[in-house]
Amino acid sequence: KSLTSKEPECLRKEGGWDVYDIMYLDQTAREHGLYIKKRPDIPVAEREYSEYQIPGRDGKLYEDLKTVEDIEINIDFNFMSTEKDWSGVFRAAKRWLLGAKGKLILGDDQDFFYRVKKVSFSDGERTSLRIGNFTVTFICEGYAYLQDGTREYEIGNVQYNPYETCKPIYFIRGEGVCTLTINRKAMTANVGQNLTINTDLMLAYREDGSLMNTAVSGDYEDLYLYPGENEISITDGFELKVIPNWRCY
């Protein structure tokens, strides 16, 4: 599968990239003259708990908060340039990697991506007049997201969730008041032609970006899709599409 329409064909071969690479903000390291020194280790996200110590009771009590900690993916880069261009290549790398937050795709796991929350750089090590090394730390959400989970689907295609609990985006078209029901829990929405309910951002808005939080009544958490079968329905006369945002550890 092609990652994006911007992916350079010269980096492709049957079954994957011709060398190990990453893609970030729709650009590969090779496009910037950078090379990955080794495949990064991928940490496992730790579940988050609240701890309680009760006098007279052995050990602690742990409350599962049903969230996970961030993970850090460290990637070692190197590059070769002319003597005069060394600093320019390093600056270009910083402009790319320290830009807006985006998706990180690893070359040997192209069906998934990580949501990057922060990027930090090590110092640039100049091992010779032409060669440079540096390490980038991508601080990401603890989940890997499925590329196919960012597409719009009909209800019947998202009722079964083979992954972890996910936070979908619902697109409703119609006119008037409707009820969106997920696993017997409901959110009421006053729809004027179109309404987007984003359970990850906990926002409701129209296609033009106008906020419509006052148009919905209910809890965004009730609209999550859980592992296994889910019941999804909407009032007759309204059209519903779903971006599931499937994810796993």
Side-chain angles (χ1 to χ4, degrees):
K1 298 180 181 179
S2 176
L3 291 174
T4 72
S5 59
K6 295 183 179 181
E7 184 182 4
E9 288 299 321
C10 64
L11 298 187
R12 299 291 301 174
K13 70 174 183 179
E14 187 175 357
W17 284 320
D18 59 350
V19 295
Y20 186 80
D21 206 340
I22 67 163
M23 180 172 283
Y24 184 61
L25 298 175
D26 291 333
Q27 300 172 48
T28 65
R30 288 287 298 276
E31 290 180 80
H32 292 270
L34 306 176
Y35 298 84
I36 313 299
K37 296 175 68 174
K38 65 176 183 177
R39 285 172 168 78
D41 297 325
I42 307 301
V44 177
E46 296 285 341
R47 290 185 72 90
E48 295 180 310
Y49 294 86
S50 289
E51 299 182 6
Y52 302 95
Q53 183 74 58
I54 299 178
R57 183 181 180 123
D58 293 329
K60 296 179 180 179
L61 293 180
Y62 295 89
E63 178 188 1
D64 187 353
L65 300 179
K66 303 186 186 303
T67 54
V68 299
E69 295 180 352
D70 293 337
I71 60 173
E72 294 186 3
I73 300 176
N74 297 300
I75 300 181
D76 298 322
F77 293 87
N78 64 8
F79 63 89
M80 179 180 290
S81 68
T82 64
E83 288 182 40
K84 293 181 179 180
D85 288 341
W86 193 98
S87 295
V89 173
F90 189 47
R91 279 193 294 269
K94 289 184 286 184
R95 281 197 302 272
W96 167 43
L97 294 167
L98 294 175
K101 292 179 292 186
K103 298 178 180 180
L104 172 64
I105 302 171
L106 305 179
D108 54 359
D109 194 23
Q110 298 174 35
D111 290 334
F112 290 83
F113 66 90
Y114 294 90
R115 290 181 175 178
V116 177
K117 302 172 74 172
K118 179 183 175 183
V119 178
S120 61
F121 253 72
S122 71
D123 294 337
E125 180 186 6
R126 191 164 189 167
T127 57
S128 75
L129 291 177
R130 300 180 59 202
I131 296 175
N133 295 281
F134 60 91
T135 299
V136 175
T137 299
F138 294 91
I139 300 175
C140 308
E141 290 186 18
Y143 291 97
Y145 286 82
L146 192 69
Q147 297 271 28
D148 284 345
T150 61
R151 295 165 41 204
E152 287 187 21
Y153 290 90
E154 302 286 346
I155 294 176
N157 294 323
V158 298
Q159 286 180 304
Y160 182 75
N161 176 12
Y163 304 101
E164 303 301 322
T165 300
C166 60
K167 302 178 180 181
I169 302 173
Y170 297 94
F171 300 95
I172 303 173
R173 290 192 176 277
E175 196 69 44
V177 177
C178 72
T179 300
L180 173 62
T181 304
I182 310 296
N183 297 319
R184 301 181 183 179
K185 295 182 178 180
M187 175 173 278
T188 301
N190 190 351
V191 182
Q193 297 183 340
N194 68 80
L195 183 69
T196 299
I197 300 175
N198 189 319
T199 65
D200 190 13
L201 299 178
M202 293 190 174
L203 291 174
Y205 46 87
R206 292 174 58 87
E207 288 180 352
D208 62 7
S210 303
L211 289 178
M212 299 293 291
N213 288 338
T214 58
V216 299
S217 176
D219 294 327
Y220 290 96
E221 295 95 331
D222 289 342
L223 304 184
Y224 294 168
L225 296 180
Y226 294 95
E229 292 290 345
N230 292 267
E231 298 177 4
I232 305 173
S233 64
I234 195 167
T235 303
D236 289 342
F238 289 84
E239 176 187 344
L240 176 66
K241 297 288 183 67
V242 185
I243 293 179
N245 288 324
W246 287 316
R247 61 188 188 175
C248 58
Y249 293 121

